[in-house]
Every structure is written in structure tokens, then in C-alpha cells.
Amino acid sequence: MNISPSLRRAKAPLALTAAVLLAASACGGADAGSGDGGGDKLAGNIKVDGSSTVAPLSTAAAQLFQAENSGVKVTVGTSGTGGGFEKFCAGETDISDASRPIKDEEKAACEKKGIKYEEFTVANDGLSVVVSKDNDFVDCLTVEQLKKIWEPGSKVNNWNQVDPKFPNQKLELFGAGTDSGTFDYFTDEINGEEGASRTDYSPSEDDNVTVQGVSGSKGGMGYFGLSYYEENKDKLKALEIDGGDGCVAPSVETVQDGTYKPLGRPLFIYPAASALEKPEVEAFVEFYVENHADIAEKAQFVPLNSEQEAELKKALDALKAQQG
């Protein structure tokens, strides 16, 4: 079963929840091969919410799983990493998608509600810094130059302020909203403090808005997940980043081998231990783990390396041990 590019990287507005409904007849009704009840014996609802970056992974997992379990409905929402943890720690969802690890205050909120969970690394991603296809004067930026542009209080509004060799071209900035794990990750790695950023840019949790803004401005710049850039190569150019060892382009290989730094990152899901008491959730989580490489490939993310794969299997065992 193929997953269409539009579903692979569809980005919904903050308030939108995407319900993924597939009939088993679309791809056959074989047993999922995991969980206590296979095939059409499983029924129920599974609620997933959180990072819009991770949503295409969970959507791909849901499509493949539901093709073999037509009685299960999986909804995948995109409230952002922070918004997803709010719902998860309130007991409103079964699984939280996250593009960063859970914060201490979020851990405390979950503990207060008695929500037990494990962190599953399910794929890798790289943040891509993008400019318009019409930009013919910059191919690589250093971390220091990015910080000069994006740090709190920055007044840089022209490319020649970034480097005197660059032309007199207005700089227009687009990026992730403050409730996004992408925002947290980018600001921490580039500005040295999570959440530290200039505020006079166009923020959005919907990466389509960033694509439209950057592609429509010769002097535009934005940032989002590498796989989303892959879906918009015809409109944008991804910059190489110099993290101290020379300019490196974002790619599957450079993200997986760690040379694309500091903007390579793992992506997570957080399943609740109590949710595994529902056979359909347990089967879905097991399916996610067992098929992580295929899911990552179909959603155009970077698959796990062997060490991460081993840790993922340990996390599943640890989650099951928390049941009851």
C-alpha cells in the first residue's frame, strides 16, 4: 500500500484534527501480526495528538495498521508538541507525538494525573533552513550567522547585515510557532536557550504557511523539518549549515551519521501505559515499533540506526512492564 505525498507531509492548522479512516478492502484484510487480537477482531478508537512534524509518521502508521484492522479508528491531531503533552498529561489521548523530549513541567503534570509512559524514538529528522529558489547569493550559513539573524533583539533585516558580500536585499523571516517542538529545538541549538528568539517574524505551526512565505520572497528565510523540504524542493532551496566543521547539506545520510549538526534530531512518540490495556492500542504500538523502518520510509523521514532500534525495543518492554 502506497502513501500519497499529500498524506505523507500534510500539515493541518493548529486547531485541526485529522481523522484517518481506511477500509481493509483498500489493501487487504490480513492480520496485523501484533497484539492479542488480529485483523478484524480488533475494534475501538485510538487518539494521537502533538507535533505536526511527527504527525505524518503517525498517519503513515495508522494507514498501514488500519488497512489490516478495519474496526480500529485512529485520529491524529496536530496541536504542536507542547499542546499534545497538555492533552496527554490530562489523560485525553493515548499517544503523544513529540519533536523534542518531554519537559520537567510536563513530566510533573503527567505524574500528577498518574499518567505513566515511555519515550519511543521512532525516526530521525533534520531541521532545514530554507530560502527561495530565486536566492542565488547564499548556499551556506554558519551557526553564528544564524544566531545573528534569529537571536532575541536582533535587528538584522537585510542580507548585507549578515555578510557584507551579500546584496542589499530585504530579509523576511518565517518559522515555527512558539508551541512547536521545532521552535524549541531550533532556538536551543542556534541561540543557546530554548524559546529564545526574536519575535518580529511570521510564526506558524502550519509549515505550508512558511513554504508560501519563503517561496514568495527573494529575501525570505524559514526553517522546518527536512522531510517537509523534500516535499517542496521545487519551491525552495535548503542551505548547508556550518556547525564548526565546514558546510554540510541536510540529507538522510548526514542526519543519520550525525554530521549535519547541530540541526539533526530524533523524533518521538509517548504511549501511555494505561492505554495499552486496550487491545487495539497495544496492537497499534507494537505495530509502530515492529514496522518503524517502513513507516519512516513511507513518511520520508530518516530511519533509526541500529542502536536506536535496540533502544526502541527496550522502551516497548519497559512500557509493558508498567501496565497494571
Side-chain angles (χ1 to χ4, degrees):
M1 177 173 128
N2 294 322
I3 295 177
S4 69
S6 61
L7 278 175
R8 273 202 304 265
R9 294 303 304 168
K11 291 300 180 80
L14 184 62
L16 182 62
T17 298
V20 185
L21 296 171
L22 293 181
S25 59
C27 298
D31 192 331
S34 53
D36 295 326
D40 292 344
K41 294 179 182 178
L42 286 172
N45 299 314
I46 302 173
K47 295 181 180 179
V48 184
D49 206 324
S51 168
S52 62
T53 299
V54 183
L57 277 166
S58 290
T59 298
Q63 286 184 325
L64 293 171
F65 180 75
Q66 289 174 146
E68 301 175 351
N69 297 276
S70 62
V72 180
K73 173 185 175 183
V74 183
T75 59
V76 181
T78 54
S79 297
T81 296
F85 278 132
E86 284 184 18
K87 293 181 179 181
F88 181 72
C89 294
E92 298 174 11
T93 58
D94 301 304
I95 299 169
S96 202
D97 288 340
S99 56
R100 57 156 173 80
I102 189 170
K103 296 179 180 179
D104 288 343
E105 57 266 32
E106 292 162 343
K107 291 178 182 179
C110 276
E111 185 175 357
K112 185 176 180 180
K113 289 286 189 177
I115 305 295
K116 297 179 181 180
Y117 56 85
E118 288 291 334
E119 177 184 281
F120 287 23
T121 301
V122 290
N124 297 294
D125 193 17
L127 290 191
S128 51
V129 178
V130 296
V131 295
S132 167
K133 276 283 191 183
D134 294 331
N135 186 317
D136 57 3
F137 55 83
V138 59
D139 296 306
C140 177
L141 289 176
T142 66
V143 171
E144 290 74 19
Q145 287 173 321
L146 285 172
K147 181 178 180 181
K148 183 178 180 180
I149 294 168
W150 286 98
E151 65 186 345
S154 173
K155 300 300 181 184
V156 175
N157 57 19
N158 194 296
W159 278 97
N160 61 19
Q161 293 174 276
V162 180
D163 188 325
K165 297 177 183 178
F166 295 156
N168 178 16
Q169 175 68 55
K170 182 181 178 182
L171 175 64
E172 295 185 77
L173 297 174
F174 305 83
T178 57
D179 201 29
S180 167
T182 297
F183 173 81
D184 293 338
Y185 185 80
F186 183 84
T187 53
D188 188 31
E189 295 297 334
I190 298 302
N191 295 332
E193 181 183 350
E194 191 174 288
S197 175
R198 66 189 297 171
T199 57
D200 57 338
Y201 73 100
S202 298
S204 179
E205 264 79 14
D206 181 0
D207 290 339
N208 285 307
V209 174
T210 300
V211 170
Q212 293 167 8
V214 175
S215 63
S217 169
K218 184 175 182 178
M221 171 194 283
Y223 63 88
F224 43 53
L226 169 62
S227 51
Y228 202 63
Y229 161 70
E230 294 289 337
E231 288 291 336
N232 292 277
K233 278 184 174 181
D234 58 325
K235 305 182 186 75
L236 302 168
K237 178 170 75 172
L239 298 181
E240 297 179 3
I241 303 299
D242 184 351
D245 297 317
C247 296
V248 178
S251 70
V252 169
E253 293 75 21
T254 59
V255 169
Q256 199 170 45
D257 67 18
T259 58
Y260 182 65
K261 55 187 182 182
L263 295 180
R265 62 174 175 174
L267 299 174
F268 312 97
I269 64 170
Y270 287 76
S274 58
L276 263 62
E277 295 173 7
K278 298 189 291 185
E280 67 274 17
V281 177
E282 181 175 20
F284 178 62
V285 172
E286 288 179 340
F287 182 90
Y288 213 135
V289 171
E290 291 168 6
N291 297 277
H292 66 85
D294 189 48
I295 292 166
E297 180 182 355
K298 290 182 183 299
Q300 293 195 338
F301 283 93
V302 181
L304 303 178
N305 58 38
S306 57
E307 182 179 346
Q308 290 174 317
E309 184 175 14
E311 290 299 317
L312 176 60
K313 292 176 180 177
K314 288 181 182 178
L316 177 59
D317 291 339
L319 184 67
K320 289 183 176 181
Q322 292 193 58
Q323 288 179 265

